[in-house]
Amino acid sequence: MEKLLFVYNSFSGRHNAFLDSLLKLVRPKYQQCKLYELTHGAFSEKKAWKEFRQNSGIEMEFLHLDEFRKKYASKFGYKFTFPIVLWEDERELGILISTEELAELKNVEELIGLIKTRA
């Protein structure tokens, strides 16, 4: 495993980020992307996640759905559901944490624990 890929179930760009943040404030139960919900508050990255990300020693890349499709479509197609956490090496991608598993996590600490166990 060379690195982990975190793929959000949302599209890139300021406009989309603004709309997602606004919906989160107006409709707190709104959940387009469980991965984003676990790692971010309404306006910024959660402190525990940021500390883990910076100190883990694991190479990580964060992509929005459109960015992932553009970068990996020709290699791997669209065989995944999103959000998802993948591992990548020179030849392939594999699932580290599935969409269904992410949906079951209750907080960022559970996400961090699962990554530590599997990575």
Side-chain angles (χ1 to χ4, degrees):
M1 173 181 72
E2 289 183 14
K3 69 178 171 182
L4 297 182
L5 296 174
F6 295 81
V7 186
Y8 298 111
N9 188 31
S10 60
F11 293 96
S12 62
R14 288 184 183 188
H15 176 74
N16 290 314
F18 173 76
L19 287 177
D20 285 343
S21 293
L22 182 63
L23 280 170
K24 210 171 188 182
L25 289 173
V26 175
R27 292 178 33 205
K29 300 240 183 248
Y30 172 77
Q31 179 186 318
Q32 179 176 344
C33 181
K34 182 67 174 191
L35 179 59
Y36 191 85
E37 177 189 315
L38 290 167
T39 60
H40 289 73
F43 298 106
S44 64
E45 192 173 21
K46 290 181 179 176
K47 184 179 178 183
W49 176 249
K50 185 175 184 176
E51 288 175 1
F52 170 72
R53 186 179 51 75
Q54 291 174 336
N55 299 315
S56 70
I58 301 169
E59 184 180 350
M60 301 178 190
E61 183 176 358
F62 299 86
L63 298 168
H64 293 89
L65 185 56
D66 56 315
E67 297 164 329
F68 175 80
R69 287 180 173 162
K70 183 177 179 182
K71 186 171 182 178
Y72 291 96
S74 62
K75 276 180 157 177
F76 303 104
Y78 301 113
K79 63 182 178 181
F80 303 113
T81 57
F82 302 97
I84 196 165
V85 181
L86 303 166
W87 56 264
E88 178 183 23
D89 66 18
E90 292 176 0
R91 297 174 307 236
E92 63 182 335
L93 291 176
I95 298 172
L96 186 78
I97 306 173
S98 70
T99 303
E100 295 78 17
E101 289 174 307
L102 284 169
E104 297 297 319
L105 297 177
K106 293 175 181 55
N107 55 49
V108 70
E109 289 78 17
E110 286 186 4
L111 174 61
I112 292 168
L114 196 52
I115 293 167
K116 285 180 177 180
T117 301
R118 295 184 180 179

